Amino acid sequence: AGYTRTAYYRKMKSIWPRPPGYVLRARRIELAAKALRTTVVSVQKIAAQAGYRSPAAFSAAFKSIYGTCPLEYRRQHRI
């Protein structure tokens, strides 16, 4: 919408204290966490839906935000 990549980055940085890549990754992981709580879809499919090609990469990203692996999170937060 008329922004250069640099201008977009600066605007995002002024709104959120984290870099745009982190904000987007956190949102994808947040949606994945919701799926883990509310569905029986496999972790591998949820990882793919969140945009991760590798379940291991998804698990590492998930753990960096929630402090636990996706399977353990599902066990603890299942509705």
Side-chain angles (χ1 to χ4, degrees), residues 9-74:
Y9 182 84
R10 286 183 184 140
K11 182 68 172 170
M12 292 279 291
K13 193 172 180 180
S14 73
I15 296 169
W16 292 298
R18 302 274 187 173
Y22 178 88
V23 173
L24 295 173
R25 181 173 58 115
R27 178 66 177 145
R28 289 177 13 211
I29 295 295
E30 180 183 321
L31 293 172
K34 181 179 179 183
L36 288 167
R37 289 190 311 269
T38 61
T39 71
V40 294
V41 176
S42 73
V43 172
Q44 186 172 359
K45 285 186 180 183
I46 291 172
Q49 290 169 351
Y52 288 87
R53 293 182 186 170
S54 160
F58 170 70
S59 185
F62 191 93
K63 190 171 185 175
S64 74
I65 292 174
Y66 284 94
T68 188
C69 70
L71 283 175
E72 187 60 32
Y73 180 87
R74 176 175 262 171

